[in-house]
Amino acid sequence: MCGIVGAVGLISPKEYVFKGLKMLDYRGYDSAGVAYFNSGIKIYKDVGSVEHLLTIVPEEIKTNIMIGHTRWATHGSPTKLNTHPHISFNQRICLVHNGVIENYVELKKFLLGKNYSFYGETDSEVVANLLEYYYLEYGDIIETIKKVMSEIKGSYAITFFTDDIKDTLYVLKNASPLVVGLGKGFNLVASDASPMIEYTNEFIELEDKEFGYITNDKVAIFNKAGKPIDKQAIHKDVELISHDLKGYPHYMLKEIEEIPQTVNRLINTYFQKGKYQFDKNLLKDLEESDHIIFIACGTSYHAGLVGGRYLEKYNKSTSRFIASEWAFHPTYPGAKPFIIMISQSGETADLIHCLKIVKEHNLKNLIITNTGGSTLDRNCMYSLLLHSGVEVSVASTKAYVAQVTLLAMLAGALGNDKQVVEDLRNCLDVVHGIQDHYKPLIMKVAEEIKDKKSVFFLGRSFDYFLSLEASLKLKEISYIHSEAIPGGELKHGPIALIEKGIPVIVFITDPDTASSMRGNIEEVKTRGAKVYTIATKSLYRSEDTMMVEDYAYYLSSVAIASIAFYLAYYVALAKGLNVDKPRNLAKSVTVE
Ligand code: F6R
């Protein structure tokens, strides 16, 4: 959940490391730090932002090696001492680490028994000391890394340097991403490719249990047995991993406004010359399966709820699970189950746990992800990429719409139904209409609800699934308590919470349930709720708040999700909150 950067041999490693840290601070923003070599190991770190860190490092730094880290605290509170980089007891090893070392308590005990002492509470400091302990014993850094990797359990992406080999960064990885960027006269490392694209678009992605080193003109990677391996460099599309704000004040706003281009790109990728473009084996496996299980977390789970319904439309039997629930009580009914996992980041620990179980049971599986090269992309049997461009804002927006779009197309391909593509294209007009005309109105609603303690969203069927996402988005970034309720459930309990002035946001886009939803509106209005209704043109009434153009009602999460996203965005903005980096959250949740 944290971010790592490192550079060797650049004219200005400081420039790369700080630019990189700024790009990665969406992954973790409790604290940040850097370390470099200049007549000894120098470390600067503190609680707070990368901007703050910049104010405490020297203006001029002369070095050809530097590492940096942005932290999202897991082991040890967000204090200066727990901030990375960490240095070993005898000042020989300096490292940054992402992930969680599960057996760090035992390792710490071992080191305490060897007269080591610790300044902080982190598992990462234990690894720095373990590296030093074996380095002092073996005198050989490659043997040391092999030994340490055989002892540490858990997830790690680590880069470190020693006090005596001043031109080399070491890298090791398991279950947490680490990418090497190849340059001319320099080499880079980072927890994802994005901070490096200004310098290179050639990358090497480390696999689990691989390790190696980089100097200014050499990259050497070894497998876990310590045998050198020849890794193929991959080329990445600069545009899709760019973090450029393109003039927008926040990534979230930029990403909401990228929704039409995201949907368009998916249509053009997966539907060409009048035909769906999916792997034939994937379609065959899906066709032959007798039950499809969707597994995901958070927003991606909400997309899975929609996707399940899409497949049911074409007579597939489905169930949907939250990953952390399925992981401990896995069920897979039918003789030929097929697992569909959904993950924007492709690195979510709960899902990686599920994939382990899926593999143990030899279940066919697919990952739908926005992150090519991620752990789930590499390890699932099939992978469909969302091609949405990097999503920086912690609150997922365009990736959610992309997930639903792709699921609609996949279902369309299975049902041989090309109308889906037409329906998706029609959604684009609706999205543009919202972008062009409704932002001032949504801002007004945001002003009205920003000081409320609680907000309710009501919908049925696909509008209920959208309500779940709308509610999650609002609570994530505005910290207002909110709930989504299926219209029909209102009377079965939640109506007890409706009182004078409470905002209730209602989606009415499904002709079959519109009149029942009107009934729900009456029920909450009678109890004093302030109702805001979003309705499609053919179901619209003059008292409603917003009228959107008609679209195929099953595509609510594509056509009108941006209303929910803008609302959350403008409420957070009106409250003066940090929209892109909400408290306590991280962009990729790499711990269970
Ligand atoms: C909410 C949000 C999260 C993620 C969840 C799963 O805006 O982004 O709920 O959807 O943490 O993450 P991924 O999709 O990366 O597996």
Side-chain angles (χ1 to χ4, degrees):
M1 302 165 86
C2 316
I4 285 180
V5 278
V8 200
L10 266 181
I11 300 161
S12 173
K14 181 185 169 191
E15 186 188 294
Y16 160 70
V17 165
F18 273 90
K19 274 189 188 165
L21 286 179
K22 276 195 196 145
M23 275 191 187
L24 288 177
D25 74 351
Y26 74 104
R27 287 176 146 255
Y29 32 87
D30 291 336
S31 45
V34 293
Y36 58 93
F37 196 90
N38 182 346
S39 24
I41 295 173
K42 303 278 187 302
I43 299 181
Y44 291 87
K45 59 184 187 179
D46 206 355
V47 174
S49 64
V50 176
E51 282 77 13
H52 167 65
L53 178 66
L54 254 178
T55 65
I56 61 170
V57 296
E59 188 90 359
E60 282 267 316
I61 295 181
K62 283 208 170 67
T63 184
N64 77 331
I65 192 161
M66 195 181 230
I67 57 178
H69 191 266
T70 58
R71 178 163 190 252
W72 192 91
T74 52
H75 287 72
S77 43
T79 61
K80 183 171 173 181
L81 282 181
N82 289 335
T83 302
H84 297 224
H86 286 291
I87 185 139
S88 59
F89 185 55
N90 297 301
Q91 320 275 304
R92 302 293 310 272
I93 305 278
C94 182
L95 65 64
V96 289
H97 164 223
N98 285 356
V100 175
I101 303 300
E102 287 157 13
N103 58 338
Y104 83 104
V105 175
E106 297 94 88
L107 296 170
K108 194 167 179 173
K109 261 193 211 141
F110 166 78
L111 289 163
L112 286 167
K114 303 284 177 193
N115 294 326
Y116 270 76
S117 68
F118 295 83
Y119 51 78
E121 308 152 303
T122 65
D123 49 349
S124 314
E125 188 192 345
V126 174
V127 182
N129 283 305
L130 198 65
L131 282 163
E132 178 184 281
Y133 176 78
Y134 286 116
Y135 190 37
L136 293 176
E137 185 173 326
Y138 297 167
D140 180 288
I141 197 73
I142 298 296
E143 286 309 310
T144 299
I145 298 174
K146 265 165 59 185
K147 176 69 179 164
V148 167
M149 285 175 81
S150 73
E151 296 214 339
I152 54 177
K153 293 197 177 74
S155 56
Y156 49 88
I158 292 173
T159 185
F160 74 92
F161 61 97
T162 67
D163 69 334
D164 56 344
I165 310 170
K166 294 155 199 156
D167 61 350
T168 307
L169 270 185
Y170 299 91
V171 289
L172 48 152
K173 181 238 172 254
N174 187 49
S176 189
L178 196 62
V179 184
V180 170
L182 307 177
K184 287 200 170 65
F186 65 89
N187 284 303
L188 309 172
V189 61
S191 39
D192 67 55
S194 57
M196 302 188 271
I197 45 144
E198 211 184 305
Y199 300 83
T200 179
N201 50 16
E202 298 288 321
F203 303 98
I204 288 180
E205 279 167 2
L206 267 74
E207 300 288 330
D208 285 349
K209 298 273 163 69
E210 287 179 354
F211 67 97
Y213 62 84
I214 63 175
T215 65
N216 62 346
D217 58 0
K218 188 167 180 198
V219 172
I221 308 290
F222 303 86
N223 65 15
K224 73 173 178 196
K227 292 239 152 40
I229 42 176
D230 196 13
K231 300 271 296 179
Q232 286 299 315
I234 49 167
H235 188 89
K236 290 222 178 196
D237 186 332
V238 173
E239 193 225 331
L240 291 181
I241 49 177
S242 163
H243 278 212
D244 189 351
L245 262 170
K246 297 197 172 134
Y248 285 95
H250 298 101
Y251 286 107
M252 182 172 179
L253 185 61
K254 170 178 173 275
E255 288 157 10
I256 299 172
E257 309 237 316
E258 284 172 352
I259 286 173
Q261 119 196 28
T262 298
V263 173
N264 230 337
R265 195 184 285 125
L266 281 172
I267 296 175
N268 295 335
T269 306
Y270 292 106
F271 190 81
Q272 288 167 16
K273 298 186 183 140
K275 284 194 183 132
Y276 285 106
Q277 305 291 321
F278 290 104
D279 181 335
K280 291 200 171 53
N281 293 323
L282 166 64
L283 293 181
K284 189 164 171 278
D285 281 341
L286 283 166
E287 263 154 27
E288 288 175 358
S289 71
D290 53 4
H291 191 76
I292 296 176
I293 301 165
F294 286 84
I295 310 178
C297 310
T299 288
S300 299
Y301 170 71
H302 294 159
L305 293 175
V306 183
R309 276 283 174 83
Y310 288 168
L311 291 184
E312 282 168 358
K313 187 173 161 201
Y314 303 108
N315 300 322
K316 294 307 295 185
S317 139
T318 74
S319 44
R320 305 96 168 169
F321 289 93
I322 289 171
S324 52
E325 292 291 314
W326 194 85
F328 294 99
H329 297 287
T331 54
Y332 33 93
K336 282 187 166 185
F338 188 104
I339 310 289
I340 299 185
M341 300 188 166
I342 309 169
S343 173
Q344 182 281 129
S345 63
E347 297 293 348
T348 301
D350 293 317
L351 267 184
I352 293 172
H353 183 162
C354 293
L355 180 61
K356 219 171 130 210
I357 299 165
V358 166
K359 287 191 158 181
E360 276 161 16
H361 293 87
N362 280 324
L363 306 177
K364 296 200 167 163
N365 59 82
L366 159 72
I367 176 72
I368 294 177
T369 181
N370 198 29
T371 316
S374 58
T375 304
L376 288 161
D377 173 50
R378 287 197 316 271
N379 291 296
C380 284
M381 188 172 175
Y382 297 105
S383 175
L384 292 176
L385 293 181
L386 296 169
H387 300 293
S388 303
V390 71
E391 196 180 60
V392 176
S393 177
V394 165
S396 183
T397 54
K398 63 176 177 175
Y400 166 76
V401 175
Q403 289 164 345
V404 175
T405 303
L406 182 49
L407 285 163
M409 294 182 75
L410 186 62
L414 277 176
N416 199 15
D417 180 355
K418 293 182 187 164
Q419 181 59 37
V420 171
V421 177
E422 270 326 293
D423 292 345
L424 281 168
R425 286 201 174 110
N426 290 339
C427 285
L428 293 175
D429 293 337
V430 184
V431 184
H432 282 302
I434 294 165
Q435 288 187 352
D436 295 346
H437 305 298
Y438 281 129
K439 282 190 276 185
L441 180 55
I442 298 171
M443 276 183 226
K444 190 171 158 277
V445 175
E447 271 301 320
E448 287 174 21
I449 69 173
K450 76 176 200 305
D451 297 318
K452 301 287 179 184
K453 283 212 163 50
S454 217
V455 173
F456 291 88
F457 289 87
L458 290 187
R460 291 185 189 227
S461 180
F462 291 107
D463 289 340
Y464 168 58
F465 299 144
L466 174 61
S467 299
L468 285 169
E469 180 53 16
S471 167
L472 176 64
K473 214 89 310 172
L474 184 70
K475 67 172 78 121
E476 257 185 301
I477 63 164
S478 75
Y479 317 144
I480 296 177
H481 166 258
S482 107
E483 274 189 50
I485 301 160
E489 274 296 288
L490 195 61
K491 283 200 280 291
H492 298 286
I495 200 162
L497 296 170
I498 303 298
E499 56 186 25
K500 196 165 182 308
I502 206 152
V504 178
I505 297 168
V506 187
F507 295 107
I508 304 187
T509 75
D510 172 4
D512 291 338
T513 61
S515 77
S516 308
M517 288 308 301
R518 292 289 169 193
N520 290 138
I521 290 180
E522 287 317 310
E523 287 157 10
V524 293
K525 263 193 180 162
T526 312
R527 284 154 183 93
K530 172 87 177 96
V531 175
Y532 300 92
T533 304
I534 296 120
T536 40
K537 197 171 183 175
S538 48
L539 302 172
Y540 177 79
R541 291 187 185 170
S542 56
E543 69 269 24
D544 292 346
T545 316
M546 227 175 279
M547 180 185 80
V548 291
E549 288 302 321
D550 285 323
Y551 60 85
Y553 79 96
Y554 69 95
L555 290 174
S556 278
S557 291
V558 177
I560 60 168
S562 27
I563 295 176
F565 297 154
Y566 281 129
L567 182 66
Y569 173 78
Y570 287 121
V571 173
L573 206 64
K575 292 180 81 170
L577 297 171
N578 190 339
V579 176
D580 286 331
K581 293 180 209 156
R583 70 182 179 204
N584 304 340
L585 297 176
K587 185 65 186 165
S588 70
V589 184
T590 52
V591 286
E592 282 186 58

